[in-house]
Amino acid sequence: MSRLFDALQRSGVEQTGVEYPDTVSVATQVFEMPTKEEEAPSSSLPVFPSVEVSLEASSRVVVLTEPETLAAEKFRFLGVRMRQLQQTRPVKKVLVTSTIAEEGKSLVSANLACVLASRKRHRVLLIDGDLRRPVLADKFGLGRLSGLAEWLQGESQTVSNIYHLAEPDFWLMPAGHPPANPLELMQSGRLASLMAQVTNLFDWIIVDSPPLLPLADTSVWARLTDGALLVVREGIAEKDPLKRALESLKKADLLGVVLNGSSNGNHHNYYQRYAAARSSMKS
Ligand SMILES: Nc1ncnc2c1ncn2[C@@H]1O[C@H](COP(=O)(O)OP(=O)(O)O)[C@@H](O)[C@H]1O
Ligand SMILES: [Mg+2]
């Protein structure tokens, strides 16, 4: 844990607090197992309504809006790593979280869902699990749609409020209208029932979540997912909160770390940071 923390701290120092707004740096654990033949999902998928995506550059879904950029390339690389991980262990439900707000959880979740969906036989569900500050429906230009909040408050036992985004071909469950009592709703037991159902329907379930501090919401998500990707935005996460966040994640399986917001988009710097995260994750 301390080596991971040191690596993260070093990368923050390297960055010297300057942010170039159009770069996204991604570093994750390395998994070097041989890949197996992919299996098609077993359950047939109910027909969920299709919605039209309308993306603006400000959405920063770079894998769709700027696929030629280094940032997009790094997200594709993250997708490859996640697929390799899935070949070695049963990981399907991935929590994307961070220490505090504004570190790029929603940006990472959206781009990750897109790159995983680019493998045609893979069914990917992206859930906006941040009931307090949802952004995913807006990011994809979908307007107001009923989502997780409405499903949790409803009575139907069958999963709904999921939409198919034809291009880039994945499914989204937006957060819906922010409820007054998000934590209570999440602890009601209906969330566990929802997750059990979608686990049978999809190959990947990416959960965009609230920050680990100061809320308890994410610990509920951590219990219902297979592991977490921790997003660390350079120059934002400070030492003590990051330490507390890592401790609060202790019970969840930490799958990797995504360093977001590089001061230097060149490959050399990227691989340096990548190596630091890699060695610390192995400890
Ligand atoms: N690497 C980056 N470069 C520039 N802007 C970024 C970067 N990462 C995130 N942002 C912007 O910062 C804001 C917060 O990102 P978001 O993904 O919503 O964070 P979170 O979900 O952790 O609160 C958004 O406007 C997003 O576009
Ligand atoms: Mg967010």
Side-chain angles (χ1 to χ4, degrees):
M1 166 97 69
S2 72
R3 286 183 61 195
L4 167 63
F5 182 72
D6 288 348
L8 295 174
Q9 279 299 102
R10 273 199 305 279
S11 66
V13 172
E14 273 169 32
Q15 198 237 356
T16 64
V18 182
E19 185 178 354
Y20 290 76
D22 289 310
T23 57
V24 176
S25 171
V26 175
T28 58
Q29 187 179 1
V30 176
F31 308 99
E32 284 164 352
M33 298 292 286
T35 54
K36 284 188 253 154
E37 194 59 31
E38 284 168 24
E39 284 165 25
S42 48
S43 315
S44 65
L45 201 60
V47 178
F48 294 116
S50 262
V51 287
E52 198 74 26
V53 170
S54 165
L55 276 176
E56 294 186 5
S58 59
S59 69
R60 294 194 189 283
V61 187
V62 288
V63 296
L64 300 180
T65 58
E66 300 161 75
E68 307 301 325
T69 57
L70 184 60
E73 181 60 27
K74 289 172 180 178
F75 278 116
R76 288 191 288 271
F77 183 63
L78 175 62
V80 169
R81 292 297 176 202
M82 296 304 292
R83 284 189 202 106
Q84 288 176 337
L85 173 61
Q86 200 180 55
Q87 298 289 322
T88 65
R89 55 203 277 196
V91 50
K92 177 185 271 201
K93 293 168 279 182
V94 178
L95 179 66
V96 179
T97 191
S98 70
T99 308
I100 52 174
E102 300 276 313
E103 291 202 69
K105 294 175 291 298
S106 301
L107 174 136
V108 170
S109 307
N111 281 283
L112 179 59
C114 292
V115 295
L116 292 173
S118 66
R119 189 64 66 88
K120 284 298 169 214
R121 286 166 66 212
H122 281 189
R123 295 171 184 166
V124 179
L125 173 65
L126 173 61
I127 299 180
D128 193 336
D130 189 346
L131 293 178
R132 296 169 198 262
R133 213 170 146 267
V135 301
L136 292 181
D138 279 349
K139 214 177 241 319
F140 289 97
L142 305 179
R144 287 200 164 208
L145 293 170
S146 296
L148 176 61
E150 287 77 10
W151 194 86
L152 292 175
Q153 291 168 97
E155 311 231 308
S156 158
Q157 294 304 314
T158 315
V159 62
S160 61
N161 297 357
I162 289 176
Y163 307 87
H164 183 233
L165 281 57
E167 189 57 50
D169 193 14
F170 70 83
W171 286 260
L172 173 72
M173 181 176 224
H177 189 71
N181 51 345
L183 185 56
E184 213 175 290
L185 264 187
M186 289 175 64
Q187 289 171 326
S188 70
R190 279 181 65 80
L191 187 59
S193 149
L194 173 93
M195 291 306 281
Q197 290 183 58
V198 294
T199 301
N200 288 329
L201 299 174
F202 293 93
D203 301 289
W204 286 102
I205 297 141
I206 308 299
V207 180
D208 179 19
S209 71
L212 288 158
L213 306 177
L215 305 165
D217 304 21
T218 309
S219 62
V220 179
W221 277 121
R223 284 198 293 276
L224 295 170
T225 45
D226 302 320
L229 273 182
L230 183 70
V231 180
V232 179
R233 189 162 179 185
E234 293 188 20
I236 289 196
E238 287 177 6
K239 185 171 179 170
D240 287 340
L242 180 55
K243 245 184 187 164
R244 275 187 281 134
L246 284 168
E247 274 155 22
S248 75
L249 259 185
K250 221 183 268 169
K251 288 198 189 78
D253 201 351
L254 184 60
L255 303 175
V257 175
V258 178
L259 298 179
N260 174 33
S262 167
S263 60
N264 184 344
N266 72 46
H267 288 276
H268 178 63
N269 196 1
Y270 166 58
Y271 280 111
Q272 271 180 349
R273 266 189 240 108
Y274 173 70
R278 170 186 174 165
S279 63
S280 60
M281 292 296 293
K282 282 187 166 173
S283 61

